[in-house]
Amino acid sequence: MKDKLVTFVVAAYNTEKFLKKCLNSFLLLDKDKKLCEKRIEVLVINDGSTDRTEEIALNYQRNYPEIFRVITKVNGGHGSVINRAIKEASGKYFKVIDADDWIEKRNLKNYLDQLESCYADVVLTHYKTWHIKTKEWTWWKTFLEDYNREYTLMDIQKNWKSMDRCLTFHGITYRTEFYRKKGIKLIEQIYYEDHQYATIPCCYASSIQPFDCCLYIYRIGDQKQSVSDRNQYSRRADTKKVILTMEKYLKENFIEPVGKFYYEEKLSRLILSYMVTLLLSSPVRREGYREVQELLKQIKVDCNGVYQKVKINYFLLMCCSFMRISKKQYQRILKSRIYNIIRKNKEFQKEQ
């Protein structure tokens, strides 16, 4: 394909139930159709699927050859999809979409129009979660007065709670050449490597451009997803491996102070998630306590700055564990109005 404005990467593994909805979300109609064809490339990376994923994807490639390109590879996990896609991408910008999620079609043209004149290393967009059981929509957004200028990592450090919700896999778009220079080979054959993806390139960014635009729709509430409570516990070894890999990178590479602040914030949040799972979900809480202690001892020695950020959370979670507070009860506390007033957190916007 000719050089495009943006390459969307659809990570697809056994997603025959969801793939059509995802791919249809890239198809604009009427006067915007031709414009869209010229500006976007959608790489569908079939990661060794054993269902009809490849067949469905190839049908879109045949019908819309200017937009879709299918690459089938041996299964290597989500990280391997991104590693392959960044080599293939022709777009000025680069964004990854999971095949069971989709793009907010009505906002796609607006997003593309803004990208035309953008040269920032990182672009941030709002996103929404849609809970498949409760049918509840939740906005995850930046809270800024000015969306017409670029921001720096120093700005992010000063206004962390105004921007942090979109500094994630779902909110980030990378300038392709920036990612190729600053990114790394993500861990393969493992879950939760998206924390690497949202952290390591971004901590080197010279410019971050937020768009006042909701682009990504993130489907949640499925027990089969890697983020379900059950899978987070059963795959805790994967989380630990990602944490230790990121900790090793931080220890061995020079990162400017503002970038280091960003990196430590992201890593500390991943460690917090790990501690919540082990201390509040472990069938044998004594074993969860032992695993967390083992990790924190290493973090304290190798990355004391990160340890200082998480030690108070560790103490509070130990109190919760002692009081037999479950993970669901803990999550309800985090969503409570009183807690968020105390923490000075921005309110989430709900839609039914």
Side-chain angles (χ1 to χ4, degrees):
M1 287 187 180
K2 298 178 181 178
D3 288 351
K4 298 292 185 91
L5 177 61
V6 58
T7 294
F8 289 103
V9 178
V10 176
Y13 173 69
N14 287 351
T15 52
E16 63 180 7
K17 294 180 180 179
F18 311 107
L19 188 57
K20 288 183 181 180
K21 183 177 182 67
C22 177
L23 301 186
N24 282 339
S25 70
F26 296 102
L27 299 176
L28 299 184
L29 302 175
D30 303 327
K31 63 180 181 180
D32 296 325
K33 182 179 178 181
K34 292 285 186 183
L35 194 59
C36 184
E37 289 179 351
K38 293 178 180 178
R39 296 198 289 184
I40 75 170
E41 168 188 46
V42 179
L43 291 180
V44 185
I45 310 292
N46 172 35
D47 192 34
S49 298
T50 56
D51 64 0
R52 294 181 57 248
T53 293
E54 182 180 27
E55 176 189 337
I56 293 168
L58 288 172
N59 189 48
Y60 279 80
Q61 180 177 268
R62 283 191 294 270
N63 291 331
Y64 309 97
E66 291 298 316
I67 296 177
F68 297 100
R69 181 154 63 100
V70 180
I71 297 173
T72 293
K73 55 182 281 303
V74 175
N75 180 263
H78 197 266
S80 75
V81 168
I82 299 174
N83 290 339
R84 175 64 182 275
I86 194 63
K87 297 176 182 178
E88 302 278 351
S90 69
K92 171 184 166 187
Y93 281 90
F94 176 84
K95 185 166 183 63
V96 185
I97 312 291
D98 286 338
D100 54 351
D101 302 327
W102 64 95
I103 289 296
E104 182 69 273
K105 183 184 290 193
R106 62 185 175 180
N107 293 333
L108 180 55
K109 183 178 181 300
N110 179 26
Y111 169 77
L112 296 174
D113 289 344
Q114 292 184 79
L115 276 186
E116 287 281 8
S117 58
C118 183
Y119 294 92
D121 295 331
V122 176
V123 170
L124 301 182
T125 49
H126 314 313
Y127 67 96
K128 293 180 185 178
T129 56
W130 181 69
H131 198 291
I132 63 172
K133 293 181 180 178
T134 66
K135 310 303 181 185
E136 185 177 67
W137 294 89
T138 302
W139 273 80
W140 295 71
K141 61 183 296 183
T142 53
F143 299 87
L144 300 168
E145 294 181 2
D146 188 358
Y147 287 91
N148 295 314
R149 74 174 184 88
E150 292 181 352
Y151 290 76
T152 65
L153 287 169
M154 180 63 76
D155 294 322
I156 288 177
Q157 182 175 351
K158 291 178 180 177
N159 302 282
W160 180 252
K161 289 189 177 182
S162 294
M163 302 180 78
D164 68 318
R165 287 180 186 170
C166 293
L167 289 161
T168 62
F169 169 80
H170 307 94
I172 286 175
T173 300
Y174 283 116
R175 186 167 57 81
T176 305
E177 284 308 309
F178 167 76
Y179 186 93
R180 285 176 175 150
K181 290 179 181 178
K182 299 298 185 180
I184 60 166
K185 183 178 180 181
L186 301 176
I187 306 175
E188 301 188 2
Q189 298 288 0
I190 199 171
Y191 290 90
Y192 314 120
E193 93 302 324
D194 58 296
H195 293 279
Q196 282 184 297
Y197 175 81
T199 300
I200 293 176
C202 199
C203 74
Y204 295 109
S206 298
S207 51
I208 300 99
Q209 176 65 64
F211 291 168
D212 191 10
C213 167
C214 178
L215 185 67
Y216 196 116
I217 307 298
Y218 176 25
R219 176 182 166 275
I220 62 173
D222 189 338
Q223 287 301 307
K224 295 179 181 179
Q225 289 176 301
S226 62
V227 294
S228 70
D229 290 346
R230 180 181 63 191
N231 283 333
Q232 283 188 322
Y233 182 76
S234 65
R235 295 167 181 163
R236 64 193 184 279
D238 284 6
T239 307
K240 183 177 181 180
K241 183 173 182 178
V242 173
I243 290 170
L244 293 177
T245 301
M246 291 179 65
E247 175 261 343
K248 185 173 185 288
Y249 185 93
L250 180 60
K251 180 181 177 182
E252 295 179 353
N253 292 272
F254 174 76
I255 305 173
E256 295 286 350
V258 289
K260 189 174 182 181
F261 166 85
Y262 175 81
Y263 198 111
E264 289 182 346
E265 283 290 333
K266 297 294 287 185
L267 181 53
S268 66
R269 290 184 178 214
L270 178 56
I271 294 171
L272 173 59
S273 176
Y274 178 81
M275 291 193 300
V276 168
T277 296
L278 269 292
L279 296 176
L280 303 186
S281 295
S282 177
V284 182
R285 296 204 176 192
R286 186 181 297 108
E287 287 299 309
Y289 169 77
R290 180 189 59 77
E291 290 183 46
V292 169
Q293 277 282 85
E294 182 181 279
L295 175 67
L296 291 183
K297 283 180 182 178
Q298 183 167 346
I299 297 296
K300 185 176 182 180
V301 172
D302 294 336
C303 294
N304 189 55
V306 175
Y307 174 79
Q308 295 303 320
K309 287 179 181 290
V310 301
K311 67 177 184 180
I312 185 63
N313 297 115
Y314 170 67
F315 172 76
L316 293 173
L317 286 170
M318 284 298 295
C319 292
C320 289
S321 180
F322 178 77
M323 293 186 289
R324 294 293 171 181
I325 292 175
S326 69
K327 186 174 179 179
K328 287 186 178 180
Q329 290 171 325
Y330 171 78
Q331 289 170 336
R332 282 199 291 269
I333 292 170
L334 296 187
K335 293 178 181 179
S336 69
R337 186 171 179 81
I338 293 175
Y339 174 83
N340 283 286
I341 289 173
I342 293 171
R343 294 285 295 164
K344 298 181 179 179
N345 292 331
K346 304 291 185 181
E347 283 193 60
F348 283 94
Q349 292 180 319
K350 300 286 187 180
E351 298 177 15
Q352 295 294 337

